[in-house]
Amino acid sequence: MNRNHAAAILISISAFSLSAGALMAQDSGAMKSMPGMHMDAGAASAGSADAKLGDLDISGGYVRAMLPGQPVGGGYITIHNIGKTEDKLTSVTSTAAGKVELHEMKMEGEIMKMREIKGGIAIPAGATVTLAPNTMHMMFKQVKTPFKKGGTVPVMLMFEKAGMVDINLPVVSAKGN
Ligand SMILES: [Cu+2]
């Protein structure tokens, strides 16, 4: 990773920390891990994000509302592969954002940091892979209109084998409920 790229990711970490509000240290550029931070992704499912694509069952997707001034949005989803071969989520795009990246959360010492996942997310045969707070997320950058609770965000998921599918993710509160 070159220096410029590292700096860009650091900026997005700072921005994302703001989105989680009072829990986060806003000036550190990193999230501190909090026991109470875990969100119940299942409770946020509004059903409109569900889709079936070949061997893949896609469900439970949602994005969080964005706070004023917040430059990036976060989204989550569950993908179940009922097939006998591995697939891979290679990319995500959205007409609501200039760019969508796949990010993972990793503990570094006591600090939770996020970084871009290069090369996509494997969906092994028979497995369920969940993008959820504290594991992985879709990061929406260059968002045109800040996500507002009650709205929807269109996304296109692209898989290596199953192809692509359009879904609409419901926007839940900034806290994830
Ligand atoms: Cu991120």
Side-chain angles (χ1 to χ4, degrees), residues 24-38:
M24 302 303 170
Q26 298 192 356
D27 58 353
S28 69
M31 296 186 185
K32 286 200 164 38
S33 176
M34 303 269 176
M37 226 179 99
H38 182 259

Side-chain angles (χ1 to χ4, degrees), residues 51-86:
K52 214 175 163 351
L53 178 69
D55 285 336
L56 303 178
D57 264 324
I58 297 157
S59 65
Y62 65 99
V63 301
R64 288 185 183 179
M66 292 163 66
L67 300 172
Q70 182 186 331
V72 295
Y76 307 93
I77 201 155
T78 296
I79 301 156
H80 177 51
N81 183 354
I82 59 171
K84 292 191 162 35
T85 54
E86 179 173 296

